[in-house]
Amino acid sequence: QVQLVESGGGLVQAGGSLRLSCAASGRTMSNYAMGWFRQAPGKDRVIVAALDWSGSATSYADSVKGRFTISRDNAKIAVYLQMKSLKPEDTAVYYCAARPFGGLGSTTNDYNYWGQGTQVTVSS
């Protein structure tokens, strides 16, 4: 069983930056493809960024491309989402997700394990 815990959310002004972290308990993420999703109030949960299990490929939603970066540390203990040039429309709860030996997912049902989410609020 994999337990995921997100951290790093908060309140930031437009144009600012945040780095979200996702830590796994019980094991490393060496064999897991990872994703970051977000969900605004009244909206569906949608993909933001994805990293395949080997760490060799990434994908990003068009709305965040060039501003957000997904990465993992060398030991694959944690996965990060570096968010720059934040906009008010980035405001949402951000979720970390994982799947064993997966490729680049695009929907929530592509992933097996989920964190509880961390709130990101961008003020104008």
Side-chain angles (χ1 to χ4, degrees):
Q1 183 68 26
V2 176
Q3 301 287 334
L4 303 176
V5 180
E6 303 95 337
S7 62
L11 175 64
V12 64
Q13 292 184 355
S17 299
L18 286 172
R19 190 180 77 158
L20 306 183
S21 298
C22 175
S25 63
R27 64 178 66 197
T28 71
M29 303 180 198
S30 60
N31 296 326
Y32 292 85
M34 306 299 299
W36 283 98
F37 290 74
R38 67 186 183 189
Q39 187 169 24
K43 303 293 185 180
D44 292 334
R45 190 174 301 185
V46 297
I47 189 78
V48 173
L51 181 70
D52 76 351
W53 79 272
S54 69
S56 63
T58 59
S59 65
Y60 298 92
D62 288 342
S63 59
V64 307
K65 194 171 298 181
R67 300 187 298 119
F68 291 11
T69 303
I70 186 171
S71 64
R72 54 168 39 117
D73 64 19
N74 290 334
K76 300 182 180 180
I77 297 171
V79 174
Y80 307 97
L81 185 69
Q82 179 66 55
M83 306 186 295
K84 299 179 179 179
S85 301
L86 283 161
K87 304 174 180 179
E89 51 263 44
D90 296 319
T91 295
V93 177
Y94 283 71
Y95 297 89
C96 179
R99 63 183 295 205
F101 297 103
L104 299 174
S106 61
T107 64
T108 56
N109 59 13
D110 290 331
Y111 293 88
N112 303 100
Y113 305 104
W114 294 85
Q116 294 299 306
T118 185
Q119 177 71 47
V120 172
T121 302
V122 184
S123 65
S124 59

